[in-house]
C-alpha cells in the first residue's frame, strides 16, 4: 500500500537561523489518524506547513504521488485539507454559509449548488441554525466546526489540524472528537492534549528538536516522554 503522505529527510531552517526540522521521515497510510506530540518549538507546526507547500525545506515531501512543489500546489491543496490553530484565520466571509461555500465557488461550482452543499455540511457539523450568522458571533468551538466544514467541502484525502483543541472548553472538545471520529478520512494533527490524541488517533509520533524520536500508540509515546508533555 502506497502512503498518502511520504516525507524523507526533511530539513528546514528559518531565516533567523533556527533549525526547525532536522531530518524528518514520516509516512501516513490510508485510514490512519496520527497525533504529532512534542513540546513548543519542537517542529510540529513547521512540519505541517510543509505538507501543502506553505513552507519549503530540503528533503522529499510527496502527497498522493505528487511531489510538493509549485507546479503541483493546486492538486496537493485539493488533497490536503488544512485547519489552522486559529479558526479566525480561515473565516472571513459575511455569513457562515458564505464561508463554507467560498472554496466550492472558487473551484468552479455554481453558486446555488455551492450554497446547497454548504448547507449539507453545516447540518453534518451541527451548525445549520448558524448558517446566516456572521462568523465573529460564534463561540470558539462553533468557529472550529465551521472552519472544518469549509475544508471538508473540497473533499480532501487527508485532514491536517494544528492544535485543534486550543481555546475549546471540555464540551466543545468532546463535540470535536465526535465529529472527527465520524469522518472517514486520514488525519494528521498536532496536539498537547494526550486525552484528545488518545480519543482520535490510531498512532502517535513525538517531535524533539526537529526530529521524530518516538513512534507508537498514543499511550506508548506519551509514556516514553511524559516529562516533556
Amino acid at each position: 500500500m502506497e502512503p498518502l503522505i511520504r516525507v524523507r529527510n526533511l530539513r528546514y531552517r528559518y531565516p533567523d537561523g533556527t533549525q526547525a526540522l532536522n531530518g524528518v521521515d514520516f509516512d501516513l497510510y490510508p485510514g490512519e489518524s496520527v497525533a504529532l506530540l512534542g513540546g513548543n518549538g519542537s517542529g510540529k507546526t513547521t512540519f505541517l506547513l510543509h505538507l501543502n507547500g506553505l513552507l519549503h525545506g530540503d528533503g522529499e515531501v510527496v502527497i498522493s504521488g505528487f511531489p510538493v512543489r509549485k507546479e503541483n500546489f493546486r492538486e496537493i491543496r485539493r488533497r490536503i485539507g488544512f485547519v489552522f490553530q486559529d479558526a479566525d484565520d480561515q473565516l472571513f466571509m459575511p455569513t457562515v454559509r458564505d464561508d463554507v461555500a467560498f472554496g466550492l465557488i472558487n473551484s468552479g461550482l455554481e453558486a446555488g449548488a455551492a450554497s446547497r452543499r454548504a448547507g449539507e455540511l453545516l447540518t453534518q457539523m451541527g451548525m445549520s441554525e448558524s448558517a446566516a450568522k456572521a462568523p465573529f458571533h460564534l463561540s470558539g468551538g462553533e468557529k472550529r466546526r465551521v472552519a472544518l466544514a469549509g475544508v471538508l467541502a473540497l473533499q480532501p484525502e487527508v485532514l491536517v489540524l494544528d492544535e485543534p483543541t486550543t481555546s475549546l472548553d471540555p464540551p466543545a472538545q468532546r463535540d470535536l472528537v465526535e465529529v472527527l471520529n465520524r469522518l472517514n478520512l486520514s488525519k494528521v494533527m498536532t496536539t498537547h492534549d494526550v486525552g484528545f490524541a488518545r480519543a482520535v488517533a490510531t498512532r502517535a509520533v513525538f517531535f524533539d528538536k526537529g526530529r521524530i524520536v518516538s513512534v507508537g500508540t498514543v499511550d506508548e509515546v506519551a509514556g516514553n516522554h511524559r516529562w516533556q508533555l
Side-chain angles (χ1 to χ4, degrees), residues 99-115:
D99 249 312
V100 177
F102 176 82
L104 293 168
I105 294 171
N106 204 41
S107 67
L109 192 64
E110 184 269 328
S115 181

Side-chain angles (χ1 to χ4, degrees), residues 88 91-96 99 133-139 143:
D88 287 328
L91 305 178
F92 54 88
M93 297 295 284
T95 72
V96 165
D99 249 312
K133 289 184 178 180
F136 63 83
H137 285 154
L138 304 179
S139 70
K143 288 178 180 179

Side-chain angles (χ1 to χ4, degrees), residues 12 20 29 33-34 54 65 70 75 103 107 115 140 159 162 165 176 178-179 223:
Y12 184 79
Y29 288 91
S33 293
V34 180
L54 291 176
K70 189 173 182 179
E75 190 64 36
S107 67
S115 181
L159 186 61
D162 189 18
T165 60
L176 181 62
E178 290 178 7
V179 167

Side-chain angles (χ1 to χ4, degrees), residues 1-206:
M1 182 186 299
E2 288 296 313
L4 294 173
I5 295 174
R6 183 177 187 272
V7 177
R8 293 293 180 272
N9 197 31
L10 181 61
R11 298 173 181 272
Y12 184 79
R13 186 187 297 273
Y14 281 101
D16 67 0
T18 301
Q19 187 73 40
L21 298 175
N22 197 21
V24 173
D25 294 334
F26 178 84
D27 291 308
L28 178 79
Y29 288 91
E32 284 194 304
S33 293
V34 180
L36 312 184
L37 306 178
N40 291 330
S42 61
K44 305 185 302 297
T45 296
T46 301
F47 172 76
L48 290 189
L49 294 174
H50 280 77
L51 300 182
N52 63 357
L54 291 176
L55 292 178
H56 183 75
D58 297 320
E60 180 183 50
V61 182
V62 180
I63 308 296
S64 298
F66 292 91
V68 178
R69 50 182 182 243
K70 189 173 182 179
E71 62 266 30
N72 294 330
F73 279 176
R74 184 178 181 87
E75 190 64 36
I76 286 166
R77 289 170 181 172
R78 185 181 69 79
R79 295 168 184 266
I80 297 287
F82 205 115
V83 181
F84 291 93
Q85 179 174 345
D86 187 349
D88 287 328
D89 290 340
Q90 292 179 258
L91 305 178
F92 54 88
M93 297 295 284
T95 72
V96 165
R97 184 187 294 271
D98 291 340
D99 249 312
V100 177
F102 176 82
L104 293 168
I105 294 171
N106 204 41
S107 67
L109 192 64
E110 184 269 328
S115 181
R116 288 190 293 274
R117 177 60 179 150
E120 293 169 0
L121 285 160
L122 288 170
T123 297
Q124 181 181 341
M125 294 291 118
M127 291 296 297
S128 58
E129 294 184 0
S130 299
K133 289 184 178 180
F136 63 83
H137 285 154
L138 304 179
S139 70
E142 289 170 336
K143 288 178 180 179
R144 196 67 47 88
R145 280 187 277 169
V146 173
L148 182 55
V151 168
L152 294 176
L154 299 178
Q155 299 180 304
E157 292 181 353
V158 180
L159 186 61
V160 176
L161 305 105
D162 189 18
E163 297 292 348
T165 60
T166 297
S167 302
L168 299 188
D169 60 21
Q173 290 186 28
R174 289 193 294 270
D175 288 345
L176 181 62
V177 167
E178 290 178 7
V179 167
L180 292 177
N181 284 338
R182 286 200 305 265
L183 298 175
N184 186 27
L185 280 175
S186 298
K187 307 173 193 76
V188 181
M189 65 210 78
T190 67
T191 184
H192 290 281
D193 186 334
V194 174
F196 172 77
R198 187 182 296 115
V200 298
T202 53
R203 67 182 175 95
V205 303
F206 195 89

Side-chain angles (χ1 to χ4, degrees), residues 204-217:
V205 303
F206 195 89
F207 274 75
D208 185 40
K209 298 178 181 177
R211 296 177 180 271
I212 291 177
V213 297
S214 184
V215 179
T217 67

